[in-house]
Short mmCIF file of all heavy atoms in Angstrom, two decimals:
data_model
loop_
_atom_site.label_atom_id
_atom_site.label_comp_id
_atom_site.label_asym_id
_atom_site.label_seq_id
_atom_site.Cartn_x
_atom_site.Cartn_y
_atom_site.Cartn_z
N ILE A 12 254.26 -3.18 159.21
CA ILE A 12 254.05 -2.37 158.00
C ILE A 12 253.83 -0.91 158.40
O ILE A 12 254.39 0.02 157.70
CB ILE A 12 252.84 -2.92 157.20
CG1 ILE A 12 253.20 -4.33 156.67
CG2 ILE A 12 252.44 -2.00 156.09
CD1 ILE A 12 252.02 -5.03 156.05
N ALA A 13 253.04 -0.68 159.46
CA ALA A 13 252.81 0.72 159.86
C ALA A 13 254.12 1.38 160.35
O ALA A 13 254.33 2.53 160.04
CB ALA A 13 251.79 0.71 161.04
N ALA A 14 254.97 0.58 161.02
CA ALA A 14 256.27 1.15 161.49
C ALA A 14 257.17 1.46 160.28
O ALA A 14 257.83 2.51 160.27
CB ALA A 14 256.91 0.16 162.38
N VAL A 15 257.12 0.63 159.24
CA VAL A 15 257.90 0.88 158.08
C VAL A 15 257.40 2.13 157.33
O VAL A 15 258.19 2.96 156.90
CB VAL A 15 257.91 -0.35 157.13
CG1 VAL A 15 258.48 -0.03 155.77
CG2 VAL A 15 258.69 -1.52 157.76
N VAL A 16 256.11 2.27 157.22
CA VAL A 16 255.52 3.48 156.58
C VAL A 16 255.90 4.69 157.35
O VAL A 16 256.28 5.73 156.78
CB VAL A 16 254.00 3.34 156.46
CG1 VAL A 16 253.37 4.66 156.06
CG2 VAL A 16 253.62 2.23 155.46
N TRP A 17 255.79 4.62 158.68
CA TRP A 17 256.10 5.78 159.54
C TRP A 17 257.60 6.19 159.39
O TRP A 17 257.91 7.37 159.22
CB TRP A 17 255.86 5.45 161.01
CG TRP A 17 256.23 6.53 161.96
CD1 TRP A 17 257.34 6.54 162.77
CD2 TRP A 17 255.54 7.74 162.19
NE1 TRP A 17 257.35 7.71 163.49
CE2 TRP A 17 256.29 8.49 163.14
CE3 TRP A 17 254.37 8.30 161.70
CZ2 TRP A 17 255.89 9.75 163.61
CZ3 TRP A 17 253.99 9.57 162.14
CH2 TRP A 17 254.74 10.22 163.12
N GLU A 18 258.48 5.21 159.47
CA GLU A 18 259.92 5.50 159.29
C GLU A 18 260.25 5.99 157.89
O GLU A 18 261.04 6.92 157.71
CB GLU A 18 260.76 4.29 159.64
CG GLU A 18 260.76 3.94 161.12
CD GLU A 18 261.31 5.05 161.96
OE1 GLU A 18 262.32 5.68 161.57
OE2 GLU A 18 260.74 5.31 163.03
N GLY A 19 259.63 5.40 156.87
CA GLY A 19 259.83 5.89 155.51
C GLY A 19 259.42 7.28 155.32
O GLY A 19 260.13 8.08 154.69
N ALA A 20 258.25 7.66 155.88
CA ALA A 20 257.79 9.03 155.75
C ALA A 20 258.71 9.98 156.50
O ALA A 20 259.00 11.06 156.01
CB ALA A 20 256.36 9.15 156.29
N THR A 21 259.20 9.57 157.67
CA THR A 21 260.12 10.41 158.43
C THR A 21 261.42 10.64 157.67
O THR A 21 261.91 11.78 157.59
CB THR A 21 260.40 9.79 159.79
OG1 THR A 21 259.16 9.64 160.50
CG2 THR A 21 261.34 10.63 160.64
N VAL A 22 261.96 9.56 157.10
CA VAL A 22 263.22 9.68 156.36
C VAL A 22 263.00 10.56 155.11
O VAL A 22 263.87 11.41 154.82
CB VAL A 22 263.72 8.28 155.93
CG1 VAL A 22 264.81 8.39 154.89
CG2 VAL A 22 264.17 7.53 157.16
N TYR A 23 261.89 10.42 154.44
CA TYR A 23 261.58 11.21 153.26
C TYR A 23 261.50 12.74 153.66
O TYR A 23 262.06 13.60 152.99
CB TYR A 23 260.35 10.81 152.56
CG TYR A 23 259.91 11.72 151.47
CD1 TYR A 23 260.59 11.66 150.21
CD2 TYR A 23 258.90 12.67 151.59
CE1 TYR A 23 260.23 12.50 149.20
CE2 TYR A 23 258.58 13.50 150.60
CZ TYR A 23 259.26 13.42 149.38
OH TYR A 23 258.91 14.27 148.38
N MET A 24 260.77 12.99 154.75
CA MET A 24 260.62 14.42 155.17
C MET A 24 261.96 15.00 155.58
O MET A 24 262.25 16.17 155.23
CB MET A 24 259.63 14.47 156.34
CG MET A 24 258.23 14.21 155.96
SD MET A 24 257.16 14.35 157.43
CE MET A 24 255.85 13.24 156.97
N GLU A 25 262.79 14.25 156.30
CA GLU A 25 264.08 14.79 156.69
C GLU A 25 264.98 14.97 155.49
O GLU A 25 265.70 15.94 155.41
CB GLU A 25 264.76 13.84 157.71
CG GLU A 25 264.07 13.89 159.04
CD GLU A 25 264.62 12.87 160.03
OE1 GLU A 25 265.59 12.13 159.64
OE2 GLU A 25 264.12 12.79 161.14
N GLY A 26 264.93 14.07 154.52
CA GLY A 26 265.67 14.23 153.27
C GLY A 26 265.25 15.42 152.52
O GLY A 26 266.08 16.19 151.95
N TYR A 27 263.93 15.68 152.47
CA TYR A 27 263.41 16.87 151.78
C TYR A 27 263.90 18.14 152.45
O TYR A 27 264.31 19.11 151.78
CB TYR A 27 261.88 16.82 151.78
CG TYR A 27 261.26 18.07 151.12
CD1 TYR A 27 261.22 18.14 149.73
CD2 TYR A 27 260.76 19.12 151.87
CE1 TYR A 27 260.70 19.22 149.12
CE2 TYR A 27 260.19 20.19 151.25
CZ TYR A 27 260.18 20.24 149.88
OH TYR A 27 259.62 21.34 149.27
N LEU A 28 263.91 18.13 153.79
CA LEU A 28 264.44 19.32 154.52
C LEU A 28 265.89 19.54 154.25
O LEU A 28 266.32 20.68 154.10
CB LEU A 28 264.19 19.12 156.00
CG LEU A 28 262.74 19.28 156.47
CD1 LEU A 28 262.70 18.99 157.99
CD2 LEU A 28 262.21 20.67 156.21
N MET A 29 266.67 18.48 154.14
CA MET A 29 268.08 18.62 153.86
C MET A 29 268.34 19.16 152.47
O MET A 29 269.19 20.03 152.26
CB MET A 29 268.81 17.27 154.04
CG MET A 29 268.87 16.84 155.44
SD MET A 29 269.78 18.00 156.45
CE MET A 29 270.37 16.96 157.69
N ARG A 30 267.60 18.67 151.50
CA ARG A 30 267.73 19.13 150.11
C ARG A 30 267.31 20.60 150.02
O ARG A 30 267.93 21.37 149.33
CB ARG A 30 266.90 18.30 149.14
CG ARG A 30 267.45 16.91 148.90
CD ARG A 30 266.71 16.25 147.78
NE ARG A 30 265.26 16.20 147.98
CZ ARG A 30 264.62 15.22 148.61
NH1 ARG A 30 265.23 14.21 149.12
NH2 ARG A 30 263.28 15.23 148.72
N THR A 31 266.26 20.96 150.72
CA THR A 31 265.77 22.33 150.64
C THR A 31 266.71 23.25 151.41
O THR A 31 266.88 24.43 151.02
CB THR A 31 264.31 22.43 151.25
OG1 THR A 31 263.53 21.45 150.57
CG2 THR A 31 263.74 23.76 151.05
N ALA A 32 267.29 22.80 152.49
CA ALA A 32 268.19 23.61 153.28
C ALA A 32 269.43 24.02 152.52
O ALA A 32 270.03 25.05 152.73
CB ALA A 32 268.56 22.90 154.56
N ALA A 33 269.82 23.18 151.54
CA ALA A 33 271.02 23.45 150.72
C ALA A 33 270.76 24.64 149.80
O ALA A 33 271.73 25.31 149.37
CB ALA A 33 271.43 22.22 149.94
N ASP A 34 269.52 24.92 149.48
CA ASP A 34 269.15 26.00 148.59
C ASP A 34 268.94 27.28 149.40
O ASP A 34 268.00 27.39 150.16
CB ASP A 34 267.88 25.65 147.81
CG ASP A 34 267.53 26.73 146.77
OD1 ASP A 34 268.36 27.60 146.52
OD2 ASP A 34 266.41 26.63 146.25
N LYS A 35 269.82 28.25 149.29
CA LYS A 35 269.77 29.47 150.10
C LYS A 35 268.54 30.36 149.75
O LYS A 35 268.10 31.11 150.57
CB LYS A 35 271.04 30.30 149.90
CG LYS A 35 272.29 29.57 150.32
CD LYS A 35 272.32 29.34 151.81
CE LYS A 35 273.57 28.63 152.21
NZ LYS A 35 273.60 28.12 153.50
N GLU A 36 268.04 30.22 148.52
CA GLU A 36 266.92 31.08 148.12
C GLU A 36 265.60 30.57 148.67
O GLU A 36 264.59 31.27 148.57
CB GLU A 36 266.83 31.13 146.57
CG GLU A 36 268.07 31.75 145.98
CD GLU A 36 268.04 31.62 144.44
OE1 GLU A 36 267.10 31.03 143.89
OE2 GLU A 36 268.98 32.14 143.85
N ALA A 37 265.56 29.40 149.26
CA ALA A 37 264.32 28.81 149.70
C ALA A 37 264.06 29.01 151.20
O ALA A 37 263.41 28.19 151.83
CB ALA A 37 264.32 27.35 149.35
N ALA A 38 264.58 30.02 151.78
CA ALA A 38 264.45 30.24 153.25
C ALA A 38 263.00 30.40 153.67
O ALA A 38 262.57 29.82 154.69
CB ALA A 38 265.27 31.42 153.70
#
């Protein structure tokens, strides 16, 4: 369960970075 939570948080954070990186105004 701890590994699943860790990986889920990592995937969410990386996804957030990708979504934010697409927005040029959010540098």
Side-chain angles (χ1 to χ4, degrees):
I12 294 171
V15 168
V16 169
W17 176 258
E18 289 300 320
T21 301
V22 168
Y23 174 76
M24 288 180 209
E25 288 175 4
Y27 179 78
L28 287 175
M29 291 299 207
R30 287 189 307 270
T31 307
D34 185 12
K35 300 294 182 191
E36 298 173 357

